[in-house]
């Protein structure tokens, strides 16, 4: 158990809908990363937050957004969902988000868009 | 060309064998190198973490980094059926985010 929690475990929804994925980092970790894992693209970095502030963006679609709250939990919002958004979404956390810090992954949320 | 290349396997070995897993990369800015183990439909689990070149050992696992060749390896000694999983290499640069760039993963099967 990495100490990172994610809810829900599974999500099934229809195209055009909006969903919210939730992540709680390990105790004491200030940085949260979101990754998407699909069969054809592998694990891809989406976005990073550090202590409530956005720090870096990767291949995140404009239909997707995220935020980190004062209690450091983070939410990833996916809207106007398409079939191709079906994937595993992972959250990872690290202590500072800077040099020399390991990232620990949560169990993931499996999103199925029908 | 992908920044990180990893043979997808599958790699099938008998129990007790020494396993060698490898990744190559093209970005010379990578400074941090990690190996994760991922069981089916589970979150990646951090196995090894190294900075720059050199070797690191932890139990049955040894990680090697050769920055001059842009090549990293993970060795598993006395492999067990419970080691059967997908092994992902990951790397990050000393930039503002330290985001991880992953290889595609190698599927390992250890036969009893």
């Amino acid at each position: 158990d990495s100490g990172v929690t994610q809810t829900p475990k599974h999500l099934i929804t229809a195209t055009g809908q909006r969903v919210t994925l939730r992540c709680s980092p390990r105790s004491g970790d200030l940085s949260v990363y979101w990754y998407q894992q699909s069969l054809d693209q592998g694990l891809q970095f989406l976005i990073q937050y550090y202590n409530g502030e956005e720090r870096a963006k990767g291949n995140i679609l404009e239909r997707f957004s995220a935020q980190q709250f004062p209690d450091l939990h983070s939410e990833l919002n996916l809207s106007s969902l398409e079939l191709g958004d079906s994937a595993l979404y992972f959250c990872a956390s690290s202590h500072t988000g800077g040099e020399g810090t390991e990232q620990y992954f949560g169990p993931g949320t499996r999103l199925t868009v029908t | 060309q992908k920044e990180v290349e990893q043979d997808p396997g599958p790699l099938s070995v008998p129990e007790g064998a020494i396993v060698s897993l490898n990744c190559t990369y093209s970005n010379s800015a990578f400074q941090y190198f990690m190996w994760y183990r991922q069981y089916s439909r589970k979150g990646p689990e951090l196995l090894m973490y190294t900075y720059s070149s050199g070797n690191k050992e932890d139990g049955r696992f040894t990680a090697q980094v050769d920055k001059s060749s842009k090549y990293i390896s993970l060795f598993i000694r006395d492999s067990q059926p419970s080691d059967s999983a997908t092994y992902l290499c990951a790397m990050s640069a000393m930039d503002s985010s330290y985001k991880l760039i992953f290889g595609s993963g190698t599927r390992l099967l250890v036969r009893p």
Side-chain angles (χ1 to χ4, degrees):
Chain A
D1 186 351
S2 68
V4 179
T5 60
Q6 288 186 250
T7 57
K9 287 186 179 178
H10 304 281
L11 205 47
I12 301 174
T13 189
T15 54
Q17 296 298 305
R18 172 189 169 95
V19 297
T20 297
L21 313 184
R22 181 187 169 104
C23 166
S24 292
R26 294 186 318 159
S27 177
D29 283 0
L30 299 176
S31 191
V32 169
Y33 302 76
W34 285 98
Y35 293 85
Q36 179 192 58
Q37 187 175 38
S38 60
L39 282 175
D40 56 343
Q41 294 290 325
L43 260 168
Q44 300 277 319
F45 168 73
L46 295 177
I47 196 164
Q48 179 203 10
Y49 277 82
Y50 173 74
N51 204 21
E53 301 284 330
E54 181 185 303
R55 176 168 278 188
K57 267 187 173 180
N59 300 322
I60 187 166
L61 300 171
E62 284 192 15
R63 301 183 284 108
F64 296 0
S65 64
Q67 54 184 325
Q68 186 178 28
F69 294 87
D71 67 351
L72 301 177
H73 91 271
S74 177
E75 292 181 357
L76 180 66
N77 300 296
L78 315 177
S79 61
S80 302
L81 285 167
E82 301 175 1
L83 295 178
D85 298 327
S86 296
L88 270 167
Y89 290 85
F90 290 106
C91 163
S93 75
S94 66
H95 184 53
T96 67
E99 182 174 343
T101 58
E102 300 97 305
Q103 292 182 32
Y104 294 90
F105 282 72
T109 293
R110 179 172 294 277
L111 173 66
T112 302
V113 183
T114 62
Chain B
Q1 183 186 5
K2 292 183 178 181
E3 278 189 286
V4 180
E5 298 279 358
Q6 186 175 8
D7 188 329
L11 178 62
S12 181
V13 301
E15 184 175 353
I18 296 174
V19 176
S20 172
L21 303 165
N22 311 293
C23 288
T24 59
Y25 62 95
S26 57
N27 188 349
S28 57
F30 288 144
Q31 293 281 350
Y32 299 95
F33 304 90
M34 284 135 276
W35 286 94
Y36 285 85
R37 177 173 63 193
Q38 186 176 25
Y39 293 110
S40 181
R41 300 179 176 227
K42 302 291 187 185
E45 173 193 359
L46 181 62
L47 286 176
M48 300 290 283
Y49 177 92
T50 54
Y51 169 68
S52 196
S53 284
N55 294 357
K56 185 174 182 180
E57 189 173 320
D58 184 0
R60 296 184 297 114
F61 300 93
T62 299
Q64 288 185 352
V65 175
D66 182 349
K67 291 192 69 182
S68 62
S69 301
K70 296 191 178 69
Y71 188 89
I72 70 170
S73 300
L74 177 71
F75 298 95
I76 307 174
R77 290 182 298 281
D78 187 25
S79 56
Q80 303 294 310
S82 58
D83 294 327
S84 298
T86 296
Y87 289 80
L88 298 150
C89 63
M91 311 174 187
S92 68
M94 292 173 64
D95 59 21
S96 63
S97 75
Y98 297 89
K99 61 181 181 289
L100 296 180
I101 307 299
F102 281 87
S104 56
T106 298
R107 203 155 60 89
L108 171 67
L109 175 63
V110 181
R111 308 185 306 272

